[in-house]
């Protein structure tokens, strides 16, 4: 069993083809082209909506928490209006995640 490259679990091992091992976080590298952006009310606790609007793929909701681990501990409940985050550009994200 394997998770797709867009999944936060892609690099996490599967034990006995039954369950996930301890999660192996995927690194989203810093890049000078990352956009510094304040979360608006439209996306309050909805990283999936922002991922869809930016990347046309709501499955990339977890990228914001990985890239901003110093600001976002919980990928949904810490994704609140007024929080300023870095947003990776799609070409850099594709390169980092390999899709």
């Amino acid at each position: 069993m394997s998770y797709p490259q867009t999944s936060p679990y892609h690099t996490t091992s599967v034990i006995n083809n039954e369950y996930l091992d301890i999660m192996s976080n995927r690194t989203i590298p810093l890049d000078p082209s990352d956009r510094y952006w304040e979360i608006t009310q439209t996306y309050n606790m909805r990283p999936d909506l922002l991922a869809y609007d930016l990347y046309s793929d709501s499955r990339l909701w977890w990228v914001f928490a990985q890239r901003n681990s110093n600001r976002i501990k919980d990928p949904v409940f810490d994704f609140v209006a007024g929080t300023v985050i870095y947003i990776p550009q799609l070409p850099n994200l594709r390169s980092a995640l390999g899709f």
Side-chain angles (χ1 to χ4, degrees):
M1 180 162 122
S2 158
Y3 286 84
Q5 290 178 321
T6 56
S7 171
Y9 307 110
H10 180 72
T11 58
T12 301
S13 301
V14 177
I15 299 173
N16 295 330
N17 208 27
E18 293 181 29
Y19 55 92
L20 285 172
D21 200 353
I22 296 171
M23 184 169 178
S24 173
N25 286 330
R26 300 183 72 185
T27 304
I28 309 297
L30 306 174
D31 192 274
S33 68
D34 289 351
R35 197 166 124 207
Y36 198 57
W37 186 75
E38 183 175 328
I39 298 170
T40 63
Q41 192 61 40
T42 302
Y43 301 109
N44 189 57
M45 292 198 283
R46 294 301 305 267
D48 58 324
L49 292 179
L50 182 58
Y52 182 79
D53 287 349
L54 292 176
Y55 308 130
S56 299
D57 191 342
S58 63
R59 296 173 299 174
L60 293 171
W61 59 270
W62 58 274
V63 165
F64 307 118
Q66 287 296 323
R67 173 59 182 83
N68 297 279
S69 60
N70 60 331
R71 292 185 178 104
I72 300 174
K73 301 299 181 201
D74 184 294
V76 176
F77 293 111
D78 289 344
F79 202 83
V80 293
T83 304
V84 179
I85 62 172
Y86 286 99
I87 297 177
Q89 299 295 320
L90 184 57
N92 299 336
L93 190 58
R94 284 181 187 214
S95 175
L97 300 180
F99 68 91

